[in-house]
Amino acid sequence: MATSPIFVSMCRAADTRNRLVLVGLNAKYIHSNLALHYLYDVAQKCDTKWHIEKIETTINDIFAVTLRRLVERQGDLYAFSCYIWNIETILKCSEGIKKSLPQAKILLGGPEVSYRAASLLKNNPDIDFVISGEGEVSFERLLLSFGDLTSYQNIPGLIYHSETRIYENLQVQNSDFESVPDIYADNWQSEKWHNRIIYYESSRGCPYQCAYCLSAIDKRVRYKPLTEVKKDIEGFIQAGVPQVKLVDRTFNTDMTRAKQIFRMILNCEGHTNFHFEMTPENFDEEMFEIIASAPKGILQFEIGLQSIHPATLKAIHRKNDLEKVAKHIRRLVSMGHCHIHLDLIAGLPEETMASFVAGFNWTMGLQPHMLQLGFLKVLSGTPLYQQRDDYQLVYNSFTPYEIISNGAMTAQELNALRRVELVLERIYNSGLFATTLYFLKQENILGDFYNFYQKLGDWWVNQNYDTRGVGKRELFLLFYTYLVAHYPFTSNQKKALQEVLAVDLLQSGENKVPAYLEKELIVSHQLFEWLHQSIDAGNVLPPPMEGFKPKELVKKIKVLPLSYETMALVCELNQIAQCGSWLVFFDQNRHVFSMEPNGVLYT
């Protein structure tokens, strides 16, 4: 329930403390703001001087509503956590707050402002303070000395206005991780975590020096005590948090510690998904054994390859053992226990179009579940920002500072890659077309990965589908339309294409097969009869279907008849041991089985 501004005014009259408003502007509602909760815990140490409020909203909310909520808090100090995706909205909020509450002070912190603080203050007079770098220590000192201008000079990392001058305290004091607040402790069941992605760090800093990354600045890795990590993991799982994303820059820098944390997760036997940023070269046999023991869906790995071009890797200060990388990623994918997400960055120094295409095809050949094709962001404070002229980097002056061209790749070439990224996200990364893409590969229709997505991207843009939203059902129709118009399918191949698209559509949760795919589901009275026959014959149902009566099962399953060739392909892809004549989708299509006409099910 919204708080009345009249009520806030009455509270101000009764409470003589300064009012602190901590603001988190997230990209999406499901995200949580890690920094905001750290600073809230820090501020609570100063609660004799401060009344503290937290506001979390998103950049997609109506701006006028967000600004009204902030102004109604009547804060003395507004503190914003700043990133490339929210800084424009934050600057607009700051202007609105200052015009409404001229005496209020505005504080910014976070990676987007840490390395251009002086110019930000110069160009935005509404901003009073910026904290550069890690904020816990400096923020506490600012709260304790708020209003005392003479003490500001002793606050590390604080950049601030005083009359007509800008003062910079450049020495940034990084917190020892043991002193950082545990923001989740004893707070597991709070509604604020429900249906949210939780961001969590078990370490700070990075031992690597990737030239495009702000983490290259802090080379000292500091670890959270394992006893606290264990307590937090158990809390996340007990609370039923759907996903925890660890923001550790390279989680498995310390392999012994990484394996200990994996064991903590698996010993809890929960359903929470944990996402880690990993380097595959470090994996050893013990790590593979631990991963092999993990239930499917618990562990998710993001691996930043970025490039495989030797000159580019040298320019960005990365050393990749590509032979070992490929070997370990293929093993992870073949194990089938965890989701594998690979990253490439377009627009890096020395990366030509030819070398990028070679890297794209090499990476796709590893068969990751997702390939994120990103574009270089030229971030203030990074080593690459300092070398921007050396590599002829041309990039947008506004967020997210994305590359336009460089000395090795033209603007036209990078725009061609953006077309590829557009359809790669919808067709490959969506996961909607796994069976269809597998079929195209087996039939040698897919061919060269880059060429396939480049042609599809050109068609997509030429048809203006990039200018509007495309829903899932229409996406299936458009992909089918494109394929049959651009590839010489035989009659049998076209029928098989319709079958695999029908399989993918049903696995996506749809209940019907559209007419253009020319496939019909088995009707319910036939299913009821077959299930009765199967149960009466003593056939054992797969575990997800145990305990249901035939009438209940009929409501939960869909059955699609398939040709033998397509069924064999689906069984191979889904690791079903034996092929029947029909494909069974159970429990909102999350489980897939093969079935014989007599009701025998294969898993």
Side-chain angles (χ1 to χ4, degrees), residues 227-244:
T227 52
E228 291 186 22
V229 175
K230 183 175 186 292
K231 183 174 61 175
D232 291 337
I233 286 171
E234 291 172 349
F236 292 137
I237 293 173
Q238 290 168 10
V241 171
Q243 186 179 52
V244 177

Side-chain angles (χ1 to χ4, degrees), residues 50-345:
W50 291 90
H51 172 85
I52 309 157
E53 285 193 70
K54 278 188 299 185
I55 292 181
E56 270 194 273
T57 183
T58 80
I59 57 174
N60 301 310
D61 290 352
I62 299 171
F63 175 75
V65 174
T66 299
L67 180 59
R68 175 179 54 77
R69 289 180 63 198
L70 295 176
V71 170
E72 286 177 354
R73 310 275 56 85
Q74 297 185 32
D76 296 292
L77 176 63
Y78 289 83
F80 292 89
S81 177
C82 304
Y83 305 89
I84 56 175
W85 64 81
N86 67 10
I87 185 62
E88 302 298 336
T89 304
I90 287 172
L91 293 178
K92 287 167 62 179
C93 286
S94 300
E95 179 184 344
I97 290 169
K98 276 289 186 152
K99 288 179 176 178
S100 303
L101 303 169
Q103 301 306 312
K105 301 297 183 183
I106 306 294
L107 165 67
L108 307 186
E112 172 53 21
V113 298
S114 286
Y115 305 100
R116 59 185 189 100
S119 64
L120 192 73
L121 288 175
K122 180 180 179 181
N123 296 323
N124 297 274
D126 300 316
I127 310 303
D128 298 285
F129 308 103
V130 172
I131 289 178
S132 176
E134 295 181 15
E136 290 92 352
V137 171
S138 301
F139 184 60
E140 181 179 1
R141 294 189 185 180
L142 177 61
L143 294 184
L144 292 173
S145 60
F146 186 73
D148 181 4
L149 294 177
T150 60
S151 61
Y152 289 167
Q153 62 186 342
N154 299 318
I155 301 175
L158 184 68
I159 299 90
Y160 61 99
H161 281 295
S162 180
E163 297 178 351
T164 59
R165 284 191 57 188
I166 294 174
Y167 294 86
E168 298 183 66
N169 302 337
L170 297 179
Q171 63 276 25
V172 178
Q173 181 174 330
N174 287 336
S175 304
D176 183 88
F177 213 156
E178 293 188 3
S179 66
V180 173
D182 188 350
I183 62 174
Y184 299 109
D186 304 319
N187 199 19
W188 308 114
Q189 301 303 328
S190 171
E191 289 186 4
K192 67 185 177 184
W193 309 130
H194 291 181
N195 301 316
R196 292 281 186 108
I197 295 174
I198 300 299
Y199 292 92
Y200 182 78
E201 56 180 352
S202 73
S203 67
R204 286 185 180 177
C206 183
Y208 303 108
Q209 300 178 42
C210 303
Y212 53 82
C213 184
L214 288 170
S215 297
I217 298 166
D218 183 8
K219 303 175 184 63
R220 183 170 63 97
V221 182
R222 292 155 289 142
Y223 295 102
K224 191 171 189 175
L226 278 174
T227 52
E228 291 186 22
V229 175
K230 183 175 186 292
K231 183 174 61 175
D232 291 337
I233 286 171
E234 291 172 349
F236 292 137
I237 293 173
Q238 290 168 10
V241 171
Q243 186 179 52
V244 177
K245 281 196 170 186
L246 278 85
V247 296
D248 303 40
R249 302 318 303 158
T250 306
F251 176 75
N252 61 324
T253 298
D254 183 334
M255 282 294 291
T256 301
R257 177 185 170 88
K259 287 181 279 193
Q260 287 176 303
I261 293 176
F262 282 174
R263 289 193 180 98
M264 292 175 188
I265 293 169
L266 300 182
N267 287 340
C268 290
E269 299 182 348
H271 301 288
T272 298
N273 171 265
F274 288 82
H275 176 107
F276 303 90
E277 294 191 24
M278 308 284 279
T279 178
E281 292 102 318
N282 292 1
F283 280 43
D284 57 21
E285 196 59 35
E286 184 183 9
M287 175 65 90
F288 282 114
E289 290 174 2
I290 294 171
I291 294 168
S293 69
K296 190 174 182 179
I298 299 300
L299 302 178
Q300 180 169 314
F301 298 157
E302 181 172 352
I303 298 170
L305 300 177
Q306 319 311 7
S307 175
I308 69 166
H309 186 47
T312 298
L313 294 174
K314 182 179 179 180
I316 61 175
H317 310 149
R318 285 177 67 93
K319 295 179 181 179
N320 289 351
D321 183 340
L322 294 179
E323 184 177 349
K324 186 178 287 187
V325 165
K327 178 183 176 182
H328 287 182
I329 290 175
R330 286 195 179 100
R331 185 172 177 182
L332 287 170
V333 172
S334 66
M335 289 167 66
H337 287 260
C338 51
H339 178 92
I340 305 300
H341 172 149
L342 303 184
D343 297 331
L344 290 175
I345 298 177

Side-chain angles (χ1 to χ4, degrees), residues 307-310 312 350-361 409:
S307 175
I308 69 166
H309 186 47
T312 298
E350 309 293 350
E351 185 86 82
T352 65
M353 190 66 169
S355 69
F356 186 87
V357 169
F360 181 91
N361 286 330
M409 199 176 288

Side-chain angles (χ1 to χ4, degrees), residues 446-463:
L446 188 59
D448 178 277
F449 293 109
Y450 180 83
N451 188 52
F452 177 81
Y453 288 104
Q454 179 256 316
K455 288 182 177 178
L456 176 58
D458 288 346
W459 176 81
W460 189 270
V461 172
N462 291 338
Q463 298 296 319

